[in-house]
Every structure is written in C-alpha cells, then in structure tokens.
Amino acid sequence: MNIITNLWKFFSSVKLALFTLCALASTSIIGTVIPQGETYSFYVKNFGPKWAQFFHILDIPNMYYSWWFLGLLGLLSANLIICSLDRLPRILKIINSDNFAIQPERMEKMAYFKKWKVTSKADLPIDFRTIFNKNGWKLRGQKQKDGEMFFGQKNRWSRIGVYIVHLSILIIFAGAIVGHFFGFKGSVMVPEMKSTAKIYTFKDSQSIDLGFEVRCNSFLIEFYDNGMPKDYRSNLSVLENGKEILTTDIEVNEPLTYKGITFYQSSYEGYQDFIISISEKNSGEGKRFVLPFQQQQTWDVKSLRFGIINVKANGQRVISSKIWFTVGGEPPVTQWLDDNSSSIITVGDRTFTLSAKQMYATGLQVAKDPGVWLVYIGCISMLIGLFMAFFLSHKRIWFYRQEETDGIVLYLSGSANKNKQDFSRLFKKLEERIDSTIHNSIQID
Amino acid sequence: MDSSQLLGITTFTYLFSTILYVALLVFKAPRLGFFATLFTVIAWLIQTAGLALRWVESYQMGIGHAPLTNMYESVVFFSWTIIILYLLIEWKFKTKIIGAFAIPFAFLAMAYASFAGEINKTISPLVPALQSNWLIAHVVTCFIGYAAFAVAAGLGIMYLIRSRSTTSVLPPLDVLDEITHKTMVFGFIWLSAGIITGAIWANSAWGTYWSWDPKETWSLITWFFYAITLHARYTRGWAGTRVAVLAILGFLSVIFTYYGVNFLLSGLHSYGSA
Ligand code: HEM
C-alpha cells in the first residue's frame, strides 16, 4: 500500500515534470549537434573510434528513437496521466460545486469582499439581480433560512483547459505511435507512361504492395526566368485491376491520397528518351511513343517513320529537339520542336500535330500514416486548451441578502482564478452600483 | 520610392525611437513620451508600407508571394511584430518606459537585416516546396511568438535593473513581473501554433509532420524551455528574478533556433540562409 502511495506521489509530482522536461530539452540538443542517421564509420572518421563506440552504446546516431529518449517521453506520459488523474477530481469538484452552500463567514474571507448594513428597507430594490444584469451577470437566487443567496459564474469549464493541454500531448504521442506501427514511409520512381504497384520503404528498402496501381501519365517542370524551378507537376492515375479510378495532378504541397496512402511530389529524373505525341489532323487519330535519342520509330498504320536526331539542352534538361519525320514515300522533313509544345507539320497532303518532350520519371514520396489525424486533433486541442488555460478565467460572484431584526445585511464577494486585475475592476463596478442603489438607505459599515 | 528605401528608412527611425525612449527614461519629461509614441507609430507605418510595397513588387515581378519567405523578410517582419506588440503593451498597461527596452530589439533586427553581409535582400521566386499557405501561417505565427519573447526578455532585463536599484524610474517590480509573465504566455501560445503549422506544412509537402531536423528540434527545445518556466511559476511559485532570468535565457534559445541553427547547423530549413 505504502509503496503504491509513494509511487503515485512520485509520478504525480510537478518536480518530476520539471526534471523530465529539462532532461528532454537538454538531451535534444545532442541530436542537433551530432549528425543523425549516419553510418558507424562516419562517426569513427569524425569523432574517433572511442566516441563512435560510446555513441553506438547510447544510440546517439538515432537518438530521438533511442531507448532512453523514448523512455523520457514515456516518463513524461506517465507523469502527465498520473498527475492529471490526481488533480482532476479536485478540479471537477470545483467546477460542479454547489455554490449556494456557502456561509456569509466564508464570503468574508474571499479575496474580493464587501459588506453593507442597511436599516431602512424602504428604498431597497425588490430584485437585486438587475444590478448584476447590467454588467452582464445573470445571478440565480436561492432562499435560505435567514435571507436569500444569489450566485453567478462564468467560464467554469476553463479550469479544465490545462488538462486539455496535457491530454493533447498524450493524443499527439498516441498519433505518433499509431503512425509508427500501422503506417509506412517510402518512395518510388515512376517513369512517364509507366505504372507501379509497389513502393520501397525508407527504413529498410522493403517493397510494399499498394493494392492498386499508380501510373504517371506525364511529368512537367516549369522554371522561372532566372532558372530556378517553379513547379514540379505529375499527372497521376490510380488503377485498380487495370481500370482507371481517378486521374489528377499533384505538385509539391498538393499530394494525392487514395485509400489512406498519400503520394507526394518529391523528385524527378530526366532520361535520354523522348515521348512523341502525334495526331493526324484529318482522322483525329493520335498516339504517343517512347523512343530513345537517335533511333527510328514507326507508326505502321499511318506509314510514318520518325526519330529525334538532335537536341539543345541546358545541363540535363532538353530545351528543344530536332525531329526527323517522313510519311510513306515523301521526302523526309526535319524541324526543331520546343520541348513539350506542339507544332504542325504538313507532308504532302497530310497534316500532323507533333510534340516531343524529354522523358522523365517522377519521384514520389509515399506515406501511409493513419495516426496523423490523431496528431492533428491533439494539436487543435492543445491550442484550444492553451486558450482556455490562459485567457479564460473562472469568475464567480456571490451576493447574499441577510435579514436581521434591525435591518438587512448585504454581502458581496467574488473570486477569479486568473486575470485578477480585470476581475477587481468588475468587482469595483458592482460595488459602486450597489452603493448607489442603496444610496438613500441608512447604511452602517 | 521602393520598398528597400522605405525599409532602409525604418532602420533609422527605429534607432531614433530608441533614443527618444531612452531620453524619456533619463529626463522623465512626459512631453517627450508623447513624441516617442507618435514617432514610433509613424515609423511602424512606414515599415508596414515597406512590407506592403515589397509584396506588391513581387507581384510586379511575376513571382508574387507574401514578404515572409527568406531570412531578410523574416527579420523585417520580426521587428515589425515587436513594435506592434510593444505599442499594444504600452496602450494596455499605460507605461512608456518599456519602450527603451523593447524597441532596441526591433532596431537591432532591422540593422542586422540591412547591414549584415550574409543576408540577401533581393526578392526571389519561391521554389516549389515553399509555395504553401501553411508556410505563411508558419512564419507569421512563429514570429509573433519570437517577438513576444523578445519583449519578455527586454522586460526581464528591466526587472533585473529595477531590482538592483532603489529609486528608479522603472515600473514597480510586481508590475514588471506580471507583464513579463503575460508576454511569455502570449509567446508560448504563438510558438505552439508556429510549431503546429510548421508540422502541417511539412506533412503536406513530404508526408512527415516531424523529422527531428535541427531547426524543428530547436523550436521544440525552446518550447520545452518556456513550458518549464510556466510550470515553475505556476506550480512552484517561481517569480521575480528567477523568471526574469528565464525570460532572458529563453530568448537566447529563440535566437539560436531562429538564427544559430541556420548558420551553425544544417537542415531542411537552410533555405533561410539563402
Ligand atoms: C510538454 C509538456 C507540458 C505542457 C506543454 C504543459 C502545459 C501546461 C500549461 C500551459 C499549464 C498552465 C500553466 C498556467 O496556467 O500558467 C500547465 C499547468 C500545469 N501542469 Fe503542465 N504541461 C506539460 C507537462 C506537465 C507534466 C508532465 C506535468 C506533470 C506533473 C504537468 C503538471 C501541471 C500542473 C500540476 C499544472 C497546474 C494545473 C492546475 O492549474 O491545477 N505538466 N501545464
């Protein structure tokens, strides 16, 4: 019994909280100074073998996931849970307390208190509550044996703001744990016009089956005038059993989510191959071809032969390409085409719309994180809780009218757990209101 | 008139504001107080115009984005927030003396932004990762928090000076203590919101809301630091000198999060040093 009481005391103490928070804050610095996630030989090279060994023992290369750091987070959680369980009943008692069950003597001991004694009843208002109404306070009355008690309060639930903040931290941790065990993070490169049903995890490069296919229809980079990248965009289709379910563009900051799996635009790779789109004007028929640089390709039905014979590039990026194009027995035509913009070529009596673009693979980061909603709920509740804890004050006003043989005694008292200055201003105003209401009565006190 | 001229002028006007408030502290002439406030409001309006103009200019260049996306712009916004926050405190608590301790931070920030060699002042387009409204929300919320912590540190310094001198023009200790605490609480909420919006941004850009990169970690360390301060005060009754010292130390942690990490450590946020 005793040991349980002591354990409870230990885990509910704010001292432990201060210790844990200090420990978390100071040890977190280590991982910002010592590079994380490098190989053992990296640490040997940069810090010497002794240190590398030491780091290894303490899991420093991966310190935010090490047993001792997670242990500190666990300690924080235990502390939060027990501390809250320890205090919450008392807080709920305050919130739900019967505020009418209070004696005038108790009222006199409150931080805000004022007492009047009136001997002539004549000028007293019938209902004192109107005084409070003017200041936005609705008081309820209750007859008591020698008088009437009035009570009103505001923001009583703000008292649990702190507990919402504490709970929100636990919710965020829960979200992180759910994400860790039931989610994954990985990536995949998908060349244009190809699809994939697998991705590869970051952690151990294992392949994961998506359960559907993702096809990259096209990938596009746009640049600013100064050469900085402006936009990476992939047009993706989701296919199930070969059937197209949906098609959409993704960009950095605008991912695609399907069945809980989210695809983020993260990188790309340029190839030396080209994608050529050809459509015939008269028939309206069109087709896309992938062809390597300087190789000939045919579209037999239309008796077309074509190839890319030259390119202008800026680094790895093709600016324009020169196409060689022939129809049937006509003499071949060559023409420069800007990358990814269409041109019209007429050969004999046939007209075609042509475009050539460098072929890319889009680099997708793929994540499934069923815990993220918990994390977001935790974040929102943290902000709500902080607001309640800091800006809302539980204000209470008591007013008691006591009948005595030689007159009436009026008691006014109040309490606020925050923003005391605001409250004392309010209290002064109420005092003055009552003063002026009973102005004509004879007062003692 | 372009934005860089306006912002350049702001640097000097904030210097002059500082001088006015220090003069007020030394000479205790109430008339001076009126001018100090008036002048600071005007300086702040000039800076607001400068920021707005910079925004407009970016649209004229065809790369429109809010002026909150690199180190220069964030430092300017930081000083802007300090001033508006200070003016609010002056108005709410009816004391002008704090200006002598808060406005220097805004001036130093502007001076650093204007004159430091490593800071690039050009309006440049945004790489795709930075094209996000969450980024704007992230920067705004963080810097409101940082500005509050700067003011709290100024108040902490005032407290320490006040507690070591008997007759002083500074506000009484309990008032200073109260305002320091309130300012830190205000900063804590905004820092929390800043960390949260940053996490949401990261999640929408690459699917990881938290990756322990040095900047994130330092913002968390700073957050822990202020959480510790609040608990020490609320549950262990720490106040006065101790909290004043914590307000100053906390701001050092803020500076390291904001500035030190960019230049001393590396990570995802290194765009800030460009
Ligand atoms: C990062 C973690 C934590 C955060 C962000 C946090 C946040 C807060 C906040 C904002 C307050 C209100 C302070 C005020 O009103 O001035 C508070 C109060 C408090 N916290 Fe925490 N807290 C954390 C961890 C803990 C832990 C681990 C404990 C465990 C003992 C704890 C115990 C308390 C207590 C006892 C109070 C006073 C509650 C009351 O009014 O009855 N906190 N906390």
Side-chain angles (χ1 to χ4, degrees), chain A residues 285-355:
Chain A
E285 288 173 64
K287 202 167 172 185
R288 289 213 289 171
F289 303 86
V290 175
L291 82 165
F293 184 47
Q294 288 180 341
Q295 275 190 29
Q296 185 175 295
Q297 172 71 273
T298 60
W299 187 4
D300 292 330
V301 196
K302 302 279 170 192
S303 55
L304 298 184
R305 284 183 294 141
F306 48 90
I308 300 288
I309 53 172
N310 202 355
V311 295
K312 285 185 196 145
N314 182 354
Q316 296 292 310
R317 177 163 69 98
V318 171
I319 308 285
S320 61
S321 51
K322 192 174 191 181
I323 194 163
W324 175 93
F325 186 83
T326 175
V327 187
E330 300 281 344
V333 181
T334 61
Q335 185 166 335
W336 281 101
L337 303 174
D338 285 341
D339 193 61
N340 201 27
S341 64
S342 47
S343 318
I344 291 173
I345 293 186
T346 305
V347 182
D349 56 353
R350 294 169 72 185
T351 305
F352 298 91
T353 309
L354 279 184
S355 77

Side-chain angles (χ1 to χ4, degrees), chain A residues 341-405:
Chain A
S341 64
S342 47
S343 318
I344 291 173
I345 293 186
T346 305
V347 182
D349 56 353
R350 294 169 72 185
T351 305
F352 298 91
T353 309
L354 279 184
S355 77
K357 80 182 273 292
Q358 184 179 12
M359 180 166 154
Y360 287 98
T362 183
L364 301 176
Q365 202 144 303
V366 186
K368 178 179 167 183
D369 190 345
V372 79
W373 290 108
L374 275 173
V375 173
Y376 284 176
I377 289 170
C379 291
I380 291 168
S381 17
M382 176 178 292
L383 293 178
I384 294 172
L386 285 173
F387 179 82
M388 286 169 71
F390 290 133
F391 294 130
L392 299 183
S393 149
H394 180 199
K395 294 179 276 197
R396 291 186 281 186
I397 300 269
W398 286 268
F399 182 69
Y400 188 55
R401 203 188 55 185
Q402 185 171 354
E403 315 271 350
E404 291 188 348
T405 46

Side-chain angles (χ1 to χ4, degrees), chain A residues 200-263:
Chain A
Y200 303 90
T201 61
F202 285 136
K203 212 170 23 194
D204 40 18
S205 301
Q206 266 187 340
S207 79
I208 289 185
D209 277 322
L210 294 172
F212 54 85
E213 277 180 85
V214 175
R215 186 178 64 208
C216 173
N217 302 315
S218 63
F219 174 80
L220 189 78
I221 324 176
E222 285 178 70
F223 293 87
Y224 292 107
D225 296 340
N226 71 357
M228 275 170 66
K230 178 178 184 180
D231 196 14
Y232 305 118
R233 193 182 319 145
S234 301
N235 184 268
L236 302 182
S237 290
V238 172
L239 309 155
E240 288 213 58
N241 306 319
K243 227 177 72 210
E244 195 173 308
I245 306 283
L246 64 89
T247 296
T248 185
D249 275 348
I250 67 162
E251 293 176 35
V252 184
N253 283 312
E254 278 171 35
L256 156 73
T257 302
Y258 183 71
K259 290 201 164 163
I261 300 176
T262 308
F263 298 85

Side-chain angles (χ1 to χ4, degrees), chain A residues 14-15 18 21-22 24-25 28-29 32 64-65 69 166 176 185 224 226 228-232 252-253 255 264 365 369 372 375-376 379 382-383 386 390-391 421, chain B residues 63 125-129 131-132 178 182 185 188-189 192-193 196 200-201 203-209 212 214 217-218 221 223-224 228 230-232 235-236 265:
Chain A
V14 180
K15 264 191 201 150
L18 291 174
L21 290 173
C22 286
L24 280 168
S28 288
I29 298 174
T32 67
Y64 300 109
Y65 305 92
F69 195 79
H166 290 162
K185 298 222 154 74
Y224 292 107
N226 71 357
M228 275 170 66
K230 178 178 184 180
D231 196 14
Y232 305 118
V252 184
N253 283 312
Y264 299 85
Q365 202 144 303
D369 190 345
V372 79
V375 173
Y376 284 176
C379 291
M382 176 178 292
L383 293 178
L386 285 173
F390 290 133
F391 294 130
Q421 280 151 335
Chain B
I63 50 174
L126 295 183
V127 298
Q131 297 163 11
S132 162
E178 168 88 14
K182 286 201 163 142
V185 159
F188 186 73
I189 292 187
S192 308
I196 289 169
I200 296 174
W201 170 43
N203 195 45
S204 70
W206 46 84
T208 310
Y209 50 81
W212 294 106
T217 307
W218 266 98
I221 291 166
W223 188 75
F224 279 143
I228 292 165
L230 293 179
H231 283 86
T235 61
R236 306 205 63 80
L265 308 170

